[in-house]
Amino acid sequence: MKHSMDPNNSYLPEQIKKRLTTRWLGQTIHFYQQLDSTNLTAMELAERDAPEGTVVIAEQQLRGRGRAGRSWHSSPRLGIYCSILLRPKLFPAKAQLLTLMTAVAVAKSINIKVGLSSTIKWPNDILVNNKKVAGILLEGRVSSTIMEYAVIGIGINVNHTSADLPDELQAGASSLRIERGEVVERSGLIGQVFLEVERLYEGLQQRDSTMILEQWRLLSATLGRHVRIIKKDKVIDGIAVNVTTEGALLVRREDGSLNLFHAGEVEHLNMSASGEEGADGRDTCS
Ligand code: BTN
């Protein structure tokens, strides 16, 4: 695989800070040229009592982690690889709201700063033109009743050309640069993501998740679609009808029964006139 020239290397904490309009999130940035995984480093900081709002950013990850034990491809200086440390007052059962919240923040920021129309595939893949451009990985430590801390990892394919994406991602993934046809300034985008997360998270801490859920529904590429859920060995088809206050997906099956999914892989199905299905947008990016 060939790497394109870095089109924009001004991505230092100072540049990000200049564009930052948050009150507390991202005010402390741990910046690295290279890390195994920003999530891993953020969790180590959390264990050492780092304050809420601490952020870890790397220009490259050697072992970027994706959902379901997959890896996250992290080309040097082309993407955004960052983790946000939070200490939410949230029951562990509601942890999924944090990923929905971040998906909303990332999708809105792409729409505002890059001028693309991005959508969210349940629970938290960000799509542009049906291709995955960003993913979110929530990790952390929970006790039986509270979340000790949460680390939200955000990976955005920003300035990758198609040559920068490995073969296995060519079909399902893209970057903001490919979709916009122009290089994207990373510092402004990351500053906007932090601002959107801060706003939504403050609502959540006041026990108000309506803003997150309403915006998630508006940005959703999944609701109203024929979907196939793959969970362990089971395959369930139906129509995605809603997302619950815990962030679970409600699916109506052909026999009219309603099923709730808290986790799993989702495929968007294209239903042809003959009723035949074709998979579209399977989670292939991590
Ligand atoms: C997914 O599989 O869709 C989630 C991908 C999350 C990737 C980000 S990159 C920054 C942070 N650090 C990691 O190791 N992973 C997350």
Side-chain angles (χ1 to χ4, degrees):
M1 192 192 351
K2 237 177 38 230
H3 283 293
S4 56
M5 289 278 292
D6 177 12
N8 166 35
N9 60 11
S10 64
Y11 186 63
L12 296 165
E14 298 77 62
Q15 257 97 34
I16 297 169
K17 284 214 160 154
K18 258 193 242 157
R19 287 165 176 76
L20 207 55
T21 52
T22 56
R23 288 190 299 112
W24 53 270
L25 201 157
Q27 294 302 332
T28 304
I29 297 178
H30 295 257
F31 182 84
Y32 299 85
Q33 284 302 327
Q34 196 181 68
L35 273 184
D36 274 352
S37 154
T38 56
N39 267 24
L40 202 58
T41 300
M43 286 195 285
E44 285 164 7
L45 288 166
E47 296 289 348
R48 285 190 265 126
D49 293 330
E52 176 160 79
T54 299
V55 160
V56 178
I57 298 176
E59 278 288 23
Q60 181 187 13
Q61 297 184 116
L62 301 176
R63 289 186 187 79
R65 290 139 76 126
R67 279 178 41 226
R70 289 181 292 246
S71 60
W72 184 260
H73 177 74
S74 312
S75 314
R77 294 180 302 281
L78 295 176
I80 290 176
Y81 317 114
C82 83
S83 300
I84 301 170
L85 168 61
L86 297 175
R87 299 186 180 276
K89 290 185 261 160
L90 205 62
F91 290 119
K94 295 223 166 192
Q96 176 98 302
L97 283 176
L98 294 169
T99 54
L100 263 55
M101 167 190 85
T102 311
V104 168
V106 172
K108 275 182 80 179
S109 301
I110 290 173
N111 300 355
I112 292 168
K113 286 284 173 187
V114 190
L116 288 166
S117 171
S118 68
T119 55
I120 307 169
K121 177 168 159 236
W122 182 85
N124 49 28
D125 288 347
I126 312 299
L127 311 180
V128 174
N129 296 325
N130 268 324
K131 293 201 164 188
K132 182 166 169 175
V133 294
I136 291 151
L137 177 67
L138 176 70
E139 298 189 274
R141 188 147 68 83
V142 291
S143 73
S144 54
T145 49
I146 56 157
M147 297 193 76
E148 305 279 350
Y149 63 82
V151 163
I152 307 177
I154 303 170
I156 310 179
N157 297 340
V158 183
N159 283 322
H160 305 59
T161 62
S162 344
D164 296 311
L165 295 171
D167 291 348
E168 66 274 17
L169 299 185
Q170 292 287 334
S174 189
S175 78
L176 302 181
R177 177 183 179 175
I178 295 169
E179 297 306 318
R180 185 167 88 158
E182 260 177 63
V183 165
V184 171
E185 202 268 313
R186 291 180 296 163
S187 313
L189 177 59
I190 207 166
Q192 188 72 34
V193 170
F194 292 169
L195 181 65
E196 301 291 342
V197 170
E198 185 179 271
R199 282 183 184 148
L200 293 168
Y201 180 69
E202 285 178 353
L204 193 61
Q205 289 291 71
Q206 306 298 319
R207 298 182 188 283
D208 182 8
S209 53
T210 45
M211 210 152 68
I212 295 172
L213 291 166
E214 275 171 14
Q215 295 190 36
W216 191 94
R217 288 182 184 116
L218 283 174
L219 290 161
S220 172
T222 302
L223 295 185
R225 293 280 298 253
H226 285 267
V227 291
R228 173 164 295 161
I229 310 283
I230 303 161
K231 208 178 163 193
K232 295 190 180 133
D233 291 339
K234 277 196 181 157
V235 175
I236 297 120
D237 288 358
I239 296 178
V241 288
N242 207 349
V243 68
T244 69
T245 51
E246 290 186 351
L249 190 68
L250 194 61
V251 174
R252 187 186 303 115
R253 298 174 75 172
E254 223 172 60
D255 62 7
S257 63
L258 289 171
N259 284 211
L260 206 52
F261 296 94
H262 292 272
E265 294 297 317
V266 66
E267 275 178 30
H268 291 163
L269 299 174
N270 286 325
M271 300 293 286
S272 72
S274 65
E276 274 174 23
E277 297 162 355
D280 158 36
R282 184 166 183 173
D283 186 354
T284 52
C285 187
S286 44

